[in-house]
Amino acid sequence: TVDYSICDGNPLDFVLNSSLANTTYTWSASVSHIANTFVTSGTEANINQIATLTNPEVSGTITMVITPIANGCAGESSDPILITVNPVPVISSVSVANTSVCSATNSTNNVSFTIVGNLPNTTYNWTAISNGVTVVGGVTSGTITSTSTTATVNLQVITSNSLASGTIQFEVEATRNGCSIPAISSPIVTVNPNPGLPISSQEKTICSGGNADLNIDVTPLILGTQLQWEVVAMVDANGAIGGSGV
C-alpha cells in the first residue's frame, strides 16, 4: 500500500504516466468520511478532483486502485493507494487577559493571551509584535502543541521608556498534520509606565487656620500623573482631609 496525505479542500493532484506510449488508465476509489461530491471512478490520467471531508474536524480516507491499459491490453493494477484527508485547524480566537496593563515591577507576569482552536494536538506558532516595550520574563516567539483546544501564554513586560507607554500584540498560526492556516492577530495590549516616587517637601509649621501648601515632586514625572493623599494622623488639630490632584 502506498500512503500519503492531503488537507481538507485540496485536490489529489495525481498525474499518471507510463514508459509505454498511448497508455490509458482506469481507476476506482472507495472513500470514508469524504463528501459525496467526490467521483469514485474514472479514466483520466490527471486525477485532480478536490477531496472534502463530511466533517471538517474528522479525518477521512480515499483508497484508490489504478489499472493501466495499452493497445487493448490491461496491465497489472497498482497496489492500493491510501490517501488520508486531514482536517485544517481553525483558530477561533486569540484573546488577551487585559488590553491595558502596568509595566511589570516584579517577577509577576502582567500580559497573557489565550488561543482557542477547534482541534486538539494542534501546534501554534506565535510571535510578539512590540512597540516601546521589552519582554523581560518569557520569550518573544514560541511554539505550543496543545493536547486540548486551548493554550495560554504568560509574559512579563515592561516599557522600554520609563516615561512613555508602549504596545504589544501577538500573531498566531496553527498547524496540524501538515495542514495550516494564515496567522491571526490578538487585540493590542497597551503597557503603561509606572508613576515615579512622590517626594514631599520638608516638615513645615503653619498658623492655625492656614493652608499647608505642601509641594510634592514626582520623579520621574509622567504627564497626567495623579496624586492621591490621605491624612494618617492629627494631634490636637482638625480640618485636614485627604484628596487627589494632577
Side-chain angles (χ1 to χ4, degrees), residues 8 22 57 61 64 75 84 98 136 142 144 147-148 151 165 175 181 199 203 205 227 232:
D8 183 23
N22 302 317
E57 297 184 359
T61 58
M64 184 175 292
T84 301
N98 296 286
V136 295
I144 307 169
T147 56
S148 68
S165 298
T175 303
I181 59 170
I199 303 173
E203 294 182 5
T205 301
L227 296 178
V232 296

Side-chain angles (χ1 to χ4, degrees), residues 189-235:
V189 178
T190 299
V191 183
N192 297 302
N194 295 302
L197 180 67
I199 303 173
S200 65
S201 59
Q202 296 179 348
E203 294 182 5
K204 63 184 302 184
T205 301
I206 63 173
C207 297
S208 177
N211 295 321
D213 289 330
L214 292 176
N215 294 316
I216 307 297
D217 293 325
V218 177
T219 303
L221 179 60
I222 300 170
L223 184 65
T225 296
Q226 183 181 59
L227 296 178
Q228 293 181 330
W229 63 88
E230 61 179 316
V231 178
V232 296
M234 284 189 292
V235 178

Side-chain angles (χ1 to χ4, degrees), residues 91 122-127 171-175 180-184:
I91 299 177
T122 296
T123 297
Y124 299 103
N125 297 304
W126 64 270
T127 301
E171 286 190 348
V172 183
E173 62 179 17
T175 303
S180 60
I181 59 170
I184 68 170

Side-chain angles (χ1 to χ4, degrees), residues 22-180:
N22 302 317
T23 298
T24 60
Y25 303 91
T26 61
W27 58 270
S28 61
S30 59
V31 299
S32 175
H33 301 296
I34 302 297
N36 58 15
T37 53
F38 188 88
V39 179
T40 56
S41 63
T43 58
E44 62 271 29
N46 186 0
I47 309 171
N48 61 356
Q49 61 177 312
I50 292 174
T52 304
L53 295 171
T54 53
N55 182 337
E57 297 184 359
V58 177
S59 297
T61 58
I62 302 168
T63 303
M64 184 175 292
V65 174
I66 301 169
T67 303
I69 301 172
N71 301 316
C73 300
E76 185 177 351
S77 296
S78 68
D79 290 332
I81 301 168
L82 177 62
I83 304 148
T84 301
V85 183
N86 290 312
V88 176
V90 173
I91 299 177
S92 303
S93 65
V94 179
S95 60
V96 295
N98 296 286
T99 56
S100 181
V101 299
C102 297
S103 183
T105 56
N106 51 43
S107 59
T108 302
N109 295 318
N110 58 336
V111 173
S112 174
F113 69 93
T114 298
I115 307 161
V116 178
N118 67 327
L119 297 168
N121 303 312
T122 296
T123 297
Y124 299 103
N125 297 304
W126 64 270
T127 301
I129 302 170
S130 60
N131 180 21
V133 303
T134 303
V135 176
V136 295
V139 294
T140 56
S141 64
T143 299
I144 307 169
T145 299
S146 177
T147 56
S148 68
T149 56
T150 63
T152 298
V153 176
N154 298 298
L155 300 173
Q156 184 184 356
V157 178
I158 63 174
T159 56
S160 302
N161 181 339
S162 62
L163 299 178
S165 298
T167 61
I168 189 167
Q169 186 179 26
F170 303 95
E171 286 190 348
V172 183
E173 62 179 17
T175 303
R176 186 177 186 272
N177 293 327
C179 303
S180 60

